[in-house]
Amino acid sequence: MVCSGVAQASTLLGFVLRARGLRTVGVEDPGSPEHGRLFASTGMETVWLPLDGEGLRPEPLAASGVRAVVVTPSHQFPSGIGWSAGRRAALLDWARAVDGYVLEDDYDGDFRYDRAPVGALQGLDPERVVYAGSVSKSLAPGLRLGWTLVPEELLGEVVERKRTMDLGNPVLDQAVLAEFVTRGGYDRQLRRCQRAYRERRDALLAALAEHLPGTGVSGIAAGLHVIARIPARFGPPERFLERAAGAGVALRSLEEYGTARPADGDVRLVIGYAHLAPSAITEDRAGGGGGGGRGGVIRSRGARTGPVG
Ligand SMILES: Cc1ncc(COP(=O)(O)O)c(C=O)c1O
C-alpha cells in the first residue's frame, strides 16, 4: 500500500494493533526516538529492548511480554550493525510463538557501500512482518511518499485506517514517481546517491582521522550516518559537545537514542553525513577557514539526512 512514509506506516499499524487489544510495542535500545513517538500517538506504550552486536537479544525480548516490535535489521539505527542471520531467524520464531508482528523499518535499505545488500526480513515471513520504506533518503523526506507491505490478515484493517485518515496519497505524486521509475530515472538517482553518499562518508572518515585521531568509527558499511567514538582525552563529553556547538557544529550523542550510559568518558556521537557536500565536511573553521563559512570540521545536525543536491 502506498502511504506517506515509514512514519505513516508506523501509525497505521499502531492504530490497528491497539484496536486489536495490544497495549505495548517493543523498540530497539538504542533506536530511533521517532518510533516511540509515532506509536505513542496511537495509544501504545513503548518498551526498550536491548541490542548486542548481532541484533535484539532474545531473552529480554521473550521476557518483555510485548507482541509487536519495530526493528531496523538491515542497518540498525543508530548503531549501524546489520543483524545476524541467527537473530533474524530468532525474531521470526518469536513472532510466530507469541502470535505477534514485526515492523521492519527499511529506512535506508538502498544504500550499501562495502557489503552486499541484505534481503528484507519481510521476504522470510510475509505473514508476520510489516515492511515499510520510502523515498525520504533517496529523493527527499519532504515528498512524504512511501510504501508498506502488510500481512494478509491485517491488510483490510490497515487499508480502512488509511482511508479514514486521508483517503489515500495524492495521485499526481504517485504518477510522477511511477513515470520516474518506469523511465529508469529512479535507478539512476539511487546510483548517483550511492556514489555521493560514499564520497561524503569517506570525507567524514578522513576528517575524523585527521582532526580527532584515535576515533573509532562503526556502522560505516551502509546507510547515511556513522557512530564515532571519540577518545576521552578530547572530552569530557558535555564539554566536547558544548565546544562543538560553540563552533557551529551541532552534534548528537548516542546516549540520546537509548538507555545506556557508559562511564568510560569516551564521547559517542551519531553523525549524519548525507546532507553535507564533502567540502562542507572537511572545511576547517578552527584552522582559520572561518569567517562566515557555513561548515565545520565535522559539521552535522545529528543524523538528519537529505537528498543529494
Ligand atoms: C530510523 C527512521 N525510520 C523512519 C523515519 C521516518 O521515515 P519516513 O520519512 O519514511 O516517514 C525516520 C525519520 O526520522 C528515521 O530516523
Side-chain angles (χ1 to χ4, degrees):
M1 189 179 74
V2 173
C3 61
S4 52
V6 175
Q8 191 181 44
S10 307
T11 46
L12 290 170
L13 181 67
F15 280 124
V16 166
L17 295 180
R18 185 68 196 84
R20 284 181 165 223
L22 272 69
R23 294 185 166 274
T24 52
V25 60
V27 295
E28 295 170 315
D29 181 10
S32 167
E34 209 57 48
H35 291 152
R37 279 196 287 267
L38 291 164
F39 276 89
S41 77
T42 71
M44 303 267 283
E45 271 177 46
T46 49
V47 176
W48 288 108
L49 297 172
L51 292 159
D52 59 21
E54 284 192 67
L56 272 192
R57 288 173 45 209
E59 298 78 20
L61 170 63
S64 69
V66 299
R67 285 179 45 222
V69 293
V70 193
V71 292
T72 51
S74 299
H75 182 238
Q76 201 277 328
F77 185 88
S79 76
I81 62 160
W83 281 37
S84 70
R87 289 299 170 78
R88 290 156 66 93
L91 182 70
L92 297 177
D93 286 344
W94 165 84
R96 290 186 278 262
V98 301
D99 187 20
Y101 290 101
V102 174
L103 174 59
E104 178 176 23
D105 172 359
D106 198 17
Y107 66 103
D108 67 0
D110 291 315
F111 304 108
R112 301 283 166 266
Y113 311 113
D114 315 313
R115 73 167 195 232
V118 195
L121 204 57
Q122 191 270 348
L124 299 177
D125 195 339
E127 289 313 312
R128 291 288 161 200
V129 182
V130 178
Y131 175 93
S134 74
V135 300
S136 292
K137 308 297 194 242
S138 53
L139 293 175
L143 290 176
R144 307 311 311 142
L145 200 48
W147 43 84
T148 178
L149 286 142
V150 181
E152 194 72 39
E153 203 208 321
L154 297 177
L155 186 60
E157 289 153 78
V158 173
V159 167
E160 183 56 16
R161 283 281 165 184
K162 172 72 178 163
R163 202 183 66 75
T164 53
M165 202 179 271
D166 60 15
L167 289 175
N169 280 62
V171 289
L172 192 56
D173 300 2
Q174 297 177 58
V176 171
L177 181 64
E179 182 81 3
F180 192 49
V181 170
T182 311
R183 292 186 177 203
Y186 191 67
D187 274 349
R188 278 195 296 280
Q189 168 69 1
L190 287 182
R191 284 196 293 274
R192 189 163 153 253
C193 285
Q194 181 99 359
R195 271 196 306 278
Y197 290 164
R198 185 201 297 253
E199 244 174 68
R200 291 169 187 199
R201 180 203 63 172
D202 291 346
L204 174 63
L205 298 184
L208 285 168
E210 184 183 346
H211 298 282
L212 299 167
T215 294
V217 191
S218 56
I220 64 172
L224 306 98
H225 70 276
V226 299
I227 301 289
R229 182 172 169 171
I230 294 166
R233 68 174 187 282
F234 293 106
E238 306 76 42
R239 181 82 192 103
F240 181 90
L241 292 169
E242 262 173 41
R243 281 168 53 210
V249 182
L251 289 171
R252 284 222 186 108
S253 146
L254 182 59
E255 291 174 18
E256 293 180 42
Y257 296 84
T259 60
R261 298 287 175 268
D264 59 13
D266 288 355
V267 188
R268 291 170 178 77
L269 301 174
V270 180
I271 308 181
Y273 51 81
H275 60 300
L276 297 170
S279 58
I281 293 172
T282 52
E283 183 185 329
D284 185 351
R285 274 193 158 192
R294 63 174 196 96
V297 176
I298 45 172
R299 185 189 168 89
S300 169
R301 283 172 297 225
R304 218 194 67 137
T305 55
V308 174

